[in-house]
Amino acid sequence: MLSLDFLDDVRRMNKRQLYYQVLNFGMIVSSALMIWKGLMVITGSESPIVVVLSGSMEPAFHRGDLLFLTNRVEDPIRVGEIVVFRIEGREIPIVHRVLKIHEKQNGHIKFLTKGDNNAVDDRGLYKQGQHWLEKKDVVGRARGFYQENRSVKDRNYSFLTLGL
């Protein structure tokens, strides 16, 4: 049993070894958090890397693909761009493509999204009475992706593409 072996190893350690192991673990966790926070600042996105969770964007993206996001305020949202957005009342963000843009005379932009593999637009996903998304709903915009383990004639490959 793995858990009993682990406990036996911990019992055999002297206090100095145990403190060292705990300190190493803490350093690894804090380093990962610092890297994540740094990416958040650099990209302007609350979630600079997301995993595609559904097949709604196939064939462009499949479940398990990683998307690298930015969310710079000065960049305008364009038709055809892939955005990750959050809907009020739902915890998990959605990855879909911008289908239409509606710009008011005052410069305020609203937009409609749709999954590439979906038959209809996303109005059915938005909260009751909402017909368009706004910039405040966007978590980020895809700027690159990573796909792994796609079979092409029985050959696996991985690739990274940046600058969509």
Side-chain angles (χ1 to χ4, degrees), residues 10-163:
V10 170
R11 284 187 194 120
R12 281 190 220 122
M13 286 185 199
N14 64 36
K15 285 184 180 182
R16 178 179 241 160
Q17 289 173 319
L18 183 61
Y19 291 144
Y20 182 74
Q21 293 298 324
V22 170
L23 183 62
N24 275 338
F25 180 74
M27 294 291 285
I28 290 168
V29 170
S30 62
S31 295
L33 287 173
M34 286 189 289
I35 290 169
W36 186 259
K37 290 294 185 179
L39 285 172
M40 288 173 66
V41 169
I42 291 168
T43 64
S45 176
E46 69 185 65
S47 186
I49 301 171
V50 295
V51 177
V52 177
L53 296 176
S54 75
S56 66
M57 284 300 292
E58 290 179 1
F61 303 113
H62 297 78
R63 289 183 185 134
D65 290 350
L66 295 178
L67 297 181
F68 302 98
L69 310 178
T70 63
N71 197 19
R72 295 187 185 96
V73 177
E74 63 274 3
D75 293 342
I77 292 176
R78 298 179 188 99
V79 171
E81 189 170 31
I82 296 164
V83 295
V84 178
F85 59 92
R86 196 178 301 276
I87 297 174
E88 189 176 314
R90 291 187 179 204
E91 275 189 44
I92 299 173
I94 298 170
V95 177
H96 281 173
R97 192 177 303 274
V98 175
L99 185 65
K100 293 180 186 176
I101 291 181
H102 177 71
E103 187 171 358
K104 293 185 177 181
Q105 289 180 345
N106 65 1
H108 187 72
I109 294 176
K110 293 185 177 187
F111 56 96
L112 179 65
T113 56
K114 177 185 173 294
D116 291 355
N117 201 23
N118 294 348
V120 296
D121 62 41
D122 290 343
R123 287 184 175 149
L125 295 175
Y126 303 160
K127 70 178 182 177
Q128 189 75 23
Q130 182 180 8
H131 300 290
W132 300 88
L133 292 174
E134 298 179 28
K135 183 82 168 159
K136 67 177 178 57
D137 300 314
V138 175
V139 173
R141 294 181 279 172
R143 295 293 183 236
F145 63 93
Y146 177 77
Q147 295 179 325
E148 186 174 49
N149 296 329
R150 297 284 184 275
S151 181
V152 176
K153 295 185 181 179
D154 299 323
R155 295 178 68 189
N156 289 334
Y157 67 91
S158 300
F159 65 89
L160 171 69
T161 304
L162 295 173

Side-chain angles (χ1 to χ4, degrees), residues 1-13 18:
M1 289 188 189
L2 181 66
S3 62
L4 292 179
D5 292 339
F6 172 74
L7 291 176
D8 287 340
D9 290 341
V10 170
R11 284 187 194 120
R12 281 190 220 122
M13 286 185 199
L18 183 61

